[in-house]
Amino acid sequence: MGCRVLRANTYSSKQILNVWKRGKDIQDPKALWGDELEYIMVEFDPSQSRAMAVLDQEDVLRRWNNQVSSKFGRALIKDLLGPTQYPLTIASFPRLGAKGQFTTPHYGTSQRDVHYRMVPPQVVAPGLRYFYINQQVLSRRQRPVGLHVPIYRDRNTPRPFLDEDCLAEGALFGTDCVYLEGQAFGGACCALQTTVQAANEPDARWLHDQLVILGPTMLALTAATPIYKGYLVNTDSRWDYLTASFDIRTQEEEFQFLETSKQCCSSPLTRWSSNRVYLSHERPGGIANACGQVQMDESAKRQLLDGGMDESIASYFSNLLWHDPLCLNQDAIELSSPETTHMFEKFQHGVWKHVHLKMPEASTGSGWRIEFRPMEVQLKDLENAAFSVFMFLLSRAIMAYRLNFYIPIELVTESMQRAQKLDAVTKERVWFRRRDWAPDGLNSVQCNPQYGCAQSQREDVYALMTIDEIINGEHSTSPARFPGLVPIVRSYLLERDLLPNEEVKLMQYLNLISCRASGSLPTPARWMRDFVAGHEDYQQDSVVSEKICYDMLREVVNMNEAD
């Protein structure tokens, strides 16, 4: 395998250089953007008060591809489902892996198959790519993927709480945790992803870096995953569980990692993580391009540097090439050449960072693009539209004003951890740049009038800030205050000639983002927690029963049908 991977890395380095050289001078000023919205299909059985995940992905996608329709996505999918089935934008199915039936068709789990003791393999789309990815991760780990999620402690939650699935061969894996076994708990989660096209390579690299820093803020704002396996848990977001689902360490490597985990930005052998490398060579002095402990394929990096790349972008791609490729076979290597992109894509499609650089593609005519990946899918279409449009407008403002949000990249990793905590949007602080964030002369961004004028004593260039301060602005009249991302976007829009109906719609979206940051509009995670807590069947024991799950998801259907 070692020689095969070495050849693959060599081919990939040459292919990356070819794609980069073809695209590095491309100028495409068109303001193109798109979003990707993921759904979970749910069937309701009123006779049993049971909601089940529908495992009919392949057939629905086949029929979708045969449709020619101008309908909105949710309505079009609904037309392809049965009368009691609905497409829901929920980040995770609340009772996935619980005892009893939680899918339709119902597939039992086998105690003899150690990889699928909780969730049948049919839960994840059965395409060959997903199958090979799962097999590669499990093969290298040499054991099932196991996740320990801290339980939410309510008044009647047992102390200590013991998930019976934590018991394996008589050994106690952990108390006060919900035990999740299998990649489906991460891989079956749903996200809202946006992609924005930049005019050229320097703009794309600058935008990439600013969006890396915005990742924790947007993760906290969109938190939507407070329930796993029928239990309320003590976190609100899925990110760490996605990371754990693609953790390819052996037990020996995991023990070695624990010995060095206090080092800067030390990260396990996982294919899903926050970014560890900045791309732009225009970043401020004192901001390193990469975390000190980031892993890189040094041989590939040397090839890229010798081919003309600068240190920043060479570090980015050599970090990607440090991971072994997934779905690699001898035929793929033999069919590859420096002139194709086949091998490079094998690497790129097997590593998932929270912000992703996409180079121009000759086959599609697309330019330099940045994909933003940390946001969790929202319960309502209006909310998903608001966050998609906000990220596009914010990206345009970043490039138009050359906004500088740089902080040391290891603080981004720390902030991603903070952003997943319970009610992080109102209770946590994340690292953000509060001074020297814009060129001199950007004076059109005004103080948020809803706040008072208390003088801020913090004069640090970057500091721990609340999500409200980052989105709506600091409560200060000091010249050093940060005015907030929503006011910045409003300022950007005021300089554009908008039709009245366009302005009304965009301001509605911005108001939604502002209210979410202030806490006046709950996150999906908080809404779910409140629904469970207020349900007549809830026993204050952290258990989300079949009936509670059924009623909660029916209410999600009702919310969207009412809009």
Side-chain angles (χ1 to χ4, degrees):
M1 182 67 179
C3 293
R4 179 186 296 178
V5 171
L6 181 61
R7 288 184 64 191
N9 282 29
T10 301
Y11 274 135
S12 295
S13 299
K14 293 178 180 178
Q15 289 175 3
I16 290 170
L17 277 172
N18 286 338
V19 174
W20 175 72
K21 287 177 180 178
R22 287 197 300 264
K24 66 185 182 71
D25 297 321
I26 284 179
Q27 297 282 335
D28 192 344
K30 294 191 293 292
L32 302 179
W33 69 286
D35 60 5
E36 180 180 333
L37 191 62
E38 296 172 329
Y39 294 83
I40 290 177
M41 299 179 294
V42 176
E43 180 171 308
F44 294 94
D45 181 355
S47 67
Q48 301 289 328
S49 294
R50 176 184 293 160
M52 299 164 287
V54 178
L55 304 184
D56 195 21
Q57 309 99 319
E58 293 297 297
D59 184 55
V60 170
L61 288 173
R62 177 183 55 78
R63 287 183 287 145
W64 171 286
N65 291 331
N66 293 331
Q67 291 277 346
V68 179
S69 175
S70 59
K71 280 187 181 183
F72 189 70
R74 190 189 298 270
L76 180 54
I77 298 172
K78 180 65 179 76
D79 284 349
L80 303 175
L81 301 177
T84 60
Q85 298 176 341
Y86 296 84
L88 300 186
T89 46
I90 52 176
S92 178
F93 189 76
R95 288 182 56 81
L96 182 70
K99 301 301 181 185
Q101 182 175 354
F102 53 84
T103 68
T104 181
H106 176 55
Y107 294 96
T109 54
S110 172
Q111 294 297 320
R112 291 174 296 175
D113 190 336
V114 297
H115 298 320
Y116 301 106
R117 294 195 303 174
M118 293 184 187
V119 180
Q122 293 86 355
V123 164
V124 180
L128 284 178
R129 177 170 175 258
Y130 297 99
F131 173 80
Y132 284 131
I133 289 174
N134 290 348
Q135 291 302 310
Q136 288 290 336
V137 171
L138 293 172
S139 175
R140 195 187 189 285
R141 283 178 59 85
Q142 301 174 13
R143 68 197 192 283
V145 172
L147 316 175
H148 292 82
V149 188
I151 189 73
Y152 170 72
R153 283 192 170 278
D154 210 338
R155 186 176 64 191
N156 296 329
T157 305
R159 287 172 167 74
F161 171 84
L162 177 61
D163 183 348
E164 63 184 59
D165 289 322
C166 284
L167 295 172
E169 299 178 357
L172 184 63
F173 275 71
T175 58
D176 298 326
C177 288
V178 177
Y179 181 61
L180 311 177
E181 188 173 281
Q183 288 178 282
F185 288 102
C189 290
C190 293
L192 169 63
Q193 298 172 184
T194 59
T195 300
V196 176
Q197 180 168 280
N200 49 48
E201 182 192 7
D203 278 3
R205 291 165 69 166
W206 184 270
L207 178 61
H208 167 277
D209 292 358
Q210 310 317 310
L211 294 188
V212 164
I213 298 147
L214 290 170
T217 297
M218 301 311 297
L219 179 61
L221 275 172
T222 58
T225 322
I227 304 170
Y228 275 98
K229 211 173 69 176
Y231 293 103
L232 287 170
V233 296
N234 208 43
T235 56
D236 274 359
S237 298
R238 78 206 190 288
W239 191 262
D240 269 358
Y241 314 133
L242 282 166
T243 297
S245 295
F246 293 91
D247 184 350
I248 60 175
R249 292 174 294 174
T250 63
Q251 283 186 313
E252 181 181 359
E253 289 167 337
E254 187 172 358
F255 292 143
Q256 291 173 351
F257 169 72
L258 291 174
E259 295 295 321
T260 61
S261 60
K262 293 183 180 180
Q263 298 180 23
C264 158
C265 220
S266 184
S267 60
L269 291 168
T270 179
R271 296 178 175 278
W272 197 299
S273 69
S274 58
N275 293 59
R276 301 294 203 270
V277 178
Y278 284 139
L279 272 175
S280 179
H281 47 70
E282 302 173 59
R283 64 187 180 279
I287 298 292
N289 76 298
C291 173
Q293 300 297 317
V294 70
Q295 301 97 337
M296 300 183 191
D297 185 313
E298 294 298 334
S299 175
K301 184 177 180 180
R302 175 48 51 194
Q303 281 186 284
L304 298 175
L305 289 170
D306 290 345
M309 282 188 174
D310 58 78
E311 177 75 19
S312 297
I313 198 167
S315 296
Y316 175 87
F317 284 114
S318 60
N319 173 237
L320 183 151
L321 295 177
W322 177 81
H323 295 270
D324 294 344
L326 293 173
C327 311
L328 180 67
N329 55 47
Q330 190 63 37
D331 289 341
I333 296 176
E334 297 299 335
L335 292 173
S336 191
S337 72
E339 287 70 39
T340 67
T341 61
H342 182 68
M343 194 58 62
F344 166 45
E345 290 170 356
K346 290 286 185 183
F347 278 89
Q348 184 162 253
H349 294 164
V351 180
W352 302 272
K353 306 298 183 185
H354 79 276
V355 180
H356 179 48
L357 173 72
K358 293 185 173 182
M359 294 192 287
E361 295 178 0
S363 59
T364 63
S366 56
W368 289 91
R369 293 147 295 141
I370 303 298
E371 184 179 54
F372 188 68
R373 304 173 56 86
M375 293 190 294
E376 304 205 327
V377 74
Q378 305 295 283
L379 299 176
K380 300 174 66 175
D381 294 331
L382 175 64
E383 295 171 327
N384 286 309
F387 279 99
S388 295
V389 171
F390 176 67
M391 289 312 302
F392 167 68
L393 294 176
L394 181 56
S395 296
R396 299 306 299 175
I398 287 170
M399 291 184 283
Y401 297 146
R402 213 63 175 180
L403 300 179
N404 164 26
F405 300 141
Y406 278 105
I407 59 175
I409 200 163
E410 59 268 20
L411 297 183
V412 177
T413 302
E414 178 185 327
S415 294
M416 288 292 280
Q417 297 302 309
R418 292 171 173 267
Q420 300 173 66
K421 294 183 179 181
L422 192 154
D423 289 328
V425 70
T426 55
K427 295 180 179 178
E428 291 295 321
R429 294 172 181 263
V430 299
W431 289 100
F432 202 78
R433 192 178 189 95
R434 60 182 300 270
R435 282 204 294 119
D436 303 330
W437 53 271
D440 293 337
L442 183 59
N443 299 317
S444 58
V445 181
Q446 302 297 322
C447 180
N448 191 328
Q450 83 177 78
Y451 299 126
C453 295
Q455 178 70 32
S456 172
Q457 299 301 314
R458 292 172 295 172
E459 298 298 335
D460 296 329
V461 173
Y462 45 86
L464 286 169
M465 297 171 61
T466 66
I467 304 302
D468 190 29
E469 289 172 329
I470 295 169
I471 294 295
N472 293 318
E474 291 185 283
H475 308 188
S476 169
T477 57
S478 166
R481 66 176 292 281
F482 183 69
L485 298 176
V486 164
I488 288 173
V489 171
R490 284 200 179 105
S491 176
Y492 172 79
L493 289 175
L494 288 174
E495 299 175 5
R496 270 74 200 159
D497 293 325
L498 298 176
L499 296 174
N501 62 324
E502 292 176 333
E503 184 174 355
V504 168
K505 192 66 175 179
L506 293 177
M507 292 307 167
Q508 179 187 15
Y509 290 155
L510 294 182
N511 185 60
L512 186 151
I513 304 298
S514 181
C515 290
R516 177 66 64 79
S518 70
S520 61
L521 178 68
T523 63
R526 173 40 58 192
W527 181 89
M528 289 180 178
R529 291 181 186 278
D530 289 345
F531 186 96
V532 172
H535 196 280
E536 61 183 3
D537 286 2
Y538 182 59
Q539 303 299 311
Q540 290 80 47
D541 56 0
S542 309
V543 175
V544 182
S545 66
E546 276 193 338
K547 171 64 172 170
I548 297 173
C549 179
Y550 174 88
D551 289 343
M552 181 175 68
L553 296 186
R554 281 294 327 176
E555 183 59 26
V556 174
V557 172
N558 294 339
M559 287 191 306
N560 282 284
E561 290 184 340
D563 284 348

